[in-house]
Amino acid sequence: MPAPEDGAQHPAETENIHKVDARTLRGLAHPLRLRLLAALREYGPATASGLADRLGESSGATSYHLRQLATYGFVEDDPERGKGRERWWRAAHRGTIFDSGRFLSHPDPEVRGAVDVVLHEISTTHSQELNTWIGTMREWPEEWREGWDISDFQVRLTPDLSEELIQKIHDLIESYRGRVPEGTEGSATVRSHVHFFPRPPE
């Protein structure tokens, strides 16, 4: 979710990517809201009760937090699916970006607290997704058991070079978007996690 904000042509300028500001960050900073938004983006439109079943929550909780997400512009009604009193929700954007560095040093302590919540929840989600894959990878075809990676690298960089490398990796991943049509035999949605952080000297 967090991404650098520089570059000649950022994806947010050409695609349906939501750029979070201090107000909407506070509206997003709740573990269940982040999970609801992720579920709608990955699995498509759903009702509050359907999301409650998927996430193991009460429909009252999912309904409340969906309305909060709608207030801040992250989700919206899906009128094509709603019938009668049944309310369907869909993600309003394909993805979200924000400048975490700017929010970490924000003068408002509520904003600093909100970005902490979001970053820790993202970190937790990444760990859960990777552990789920490792626990279930034997159930996948052999081709997918070969077509995955868990690697770490150590290289000395300046902050500018680190930002440059991050942007190049983001651009490379984006260059593969749309190359495989939906429903292509043998294809799957692939999750990629990119983590860059400095290590203190000994």
Side-chain angles (χ1 to χ4, degrees):
M1 187 177 294
E5 292 196 327
D6 58 349
Q9 189 174 36
H10 197 283
E13 299 170 2
T14 57
E15 298 186 35
N16 189 21
I17 305 294
H18 178 61
K19 188 174 179 179
V20 172
D21 58 23
R23 173 185 171 272
T24 54
L25 177 68
R26 288 193 292 265
L28 184 63
H30 187 285
L32 182 53
R33 292 178 197 175
L34 288 161
R35 293 170 62 207
L36 287 166
L37 183 57
L40 287 173
R41 286 178 176 164
E42 182 168 0
Y43 303 110
T47 63
S49 59
L51 288 164
D53 291 341
R54 178 179 292 279
L55 300 179
E57 299 284 345
S58 71
S59 58
T62 57
S63 180
Y64 170 78
H65 287 292
L66 284 165
R67 292 195 302 273
Q68 292 299 305
L69 285 169
T71 298
Y72 291 95
F74 291 101
V75 304
E76 59 192 11
D77 284 307
D78 188 350
E80 295 179 1
R81 290 178 170 82
K83 296 179 180 178
R85 298 181 61 184
E86 187 178 52
R87 190 175 189 180
W88 282 74
W89 298 92
R90 64 187 179 194
H93 314 94
R94 182 176 66 79
T96 302
I97 61 167
F98 62 89
D99 183 350
S100 58
R102 181 165 61 90
F103 292 138
L104 287 168
S105 59
H106 198 279
D108 187 341
E110 287 190 11
V111 174
R112 296 197 302 272
V115 76
D116 282 347
V117 169
V118 172
L119 291 175
H120 279 97
E121 186 63 21
I122 292 170
S123 175
T124 298
T125 299
H126 286 185
S127 296
Q128 290 173 342
E129 289 178 344
L130 182 56
N131 286 331
T132 297
W133 160 250
I134 291 172
T136 61
M137 59 190 298
R138 290 178 179 83
E139 301 171 11
W140 285 75
E142 184 177 354
E143 293 84 357
W144 277 115
R145 295 200 298 270
E146 297 294 331
W148 78 286
D149 180 59
I150 180 171
S151 300
D152 60 88
F153 305 90
Q154 183 169 301
V155 58
R156 184 168 296 278
L157 299 171
T158 63
D160 286 345
L161 284 176
S162 181
E163 191 170 353
E164 177 185 309
L165 180 55
I166 291 167
Q167 188 61 54
K168 285 183 176 180
I169 291 173
H170 286 199
D171 291 343
L172 177 61
I173 293 171
E174 284 296 324
S175 73
Y176 280 80
R177 190 178 303 280
R179 289 179 58 174
V180 179
E182 189 76 24
T184 299
E185 185 177 356
S187 70
T189 298
V190 172
R191 290 282 285 165
S192 57
H193 302 157
V194 180
H195 307 144
F196 274 77
F197 50 89
R199 299 278 288 177
E202 292 184 2

